[in-house]
Amino acid sequence: MKLLIKQRVFSWTDSYDVYDEDGDVKYFVKAEFFALGHQLHVYDRDQNEIGMVKEKLMTLMPAFEIEIDGNACGRIEKKFTLFSPKYEIDCNGWHVEGDFMGWEYDVYSECSPVIHISKELFQWGDTYVLDFADPADELMGMLLVIAIDAANCTRND
């Protein structure tokens, strides 16, 4: 199962449309305009808020909490490195491996692949393809990718 995340280019805040394999909008993501740090709200196609990615303030490196239906269910923190970004993830026991700068990476649970993420080149705005092994991981995986994107855009080291 795949999702396509497309950034809206002409928007005052970070906002994305998320499409299913048939090209239909399944989710949309919108940032708060007046917020300290990133606060990205995720809505289903019926405009019900179903998740949120919220930047933790007063941290040395970018850190984000992931919420689903108002309940904290994960955390991601960017680690200090000199060359390529690395992340510490506390989310479903998952870990991430790959090239974050080139946006080719995979999420694993133990040794089993959960999601493959890739960035499409030569697109108007950022466009990411998420390929899920299990459709049940769709929402959590999408929120994790949005958090990594926000961390990559925050206080670049």
Side-chain angles (χ1 to χ4, degrees), residues 119-140:
K119 183 174 184 176
E120 287 191 349
L121 301 176
F122 310 114
Q123 297 289 320
W124 191 258
D126 290 337
T127 302
Y128 308 106
V129 177
L130 287 64
D131 192 358
F132 293 89
D134 182 355
D137 295 323
E138 175 182 282
L139 181 57
M140 190 65 189

Side-chain angles (χ1 to χ4, degrees), residues 66-138:
I66 298 170
E67 296 179 3
I68 294 178
D69 293 326
N71 299 313
C73 58
R75 187 175 194 285
I76 177 173
E77 182 176 345
K78 190 171 185 179
K79 295 308 211 179
F80 177 77
T81 60
L82 294 177
F83 299 107
S84 65
K86 296 208 182 298
Y87 298 94
E88 181 177 302
I89 295 173
D90 179 13
C91 172
N92 284 353
W94 293 351
H95 66 278
V96 180
E97 297 176 7
D99 178 9
F100 294 100
M101 294 302 284
W103 277 93
E104 284 288 332
Y105 60 94
D106 295 289
V107 178
Y108 294 92
S109 176
E110 301 287 323
C111 296
S112 302
V114 177
I115 314 165
H116 174 74
I117 298 100
S118 59
K119 183 174 184 176
E120 287 191 349
L121 301 176
F122 310 114
Q123 297 289 320
W124 191 258
D126 290 337
T127 302
Y128 308 106
V129 177
L130 287 64
D131 192 358
F132 293 89
D134 182 355
D137 295 323
E138 175 182 282

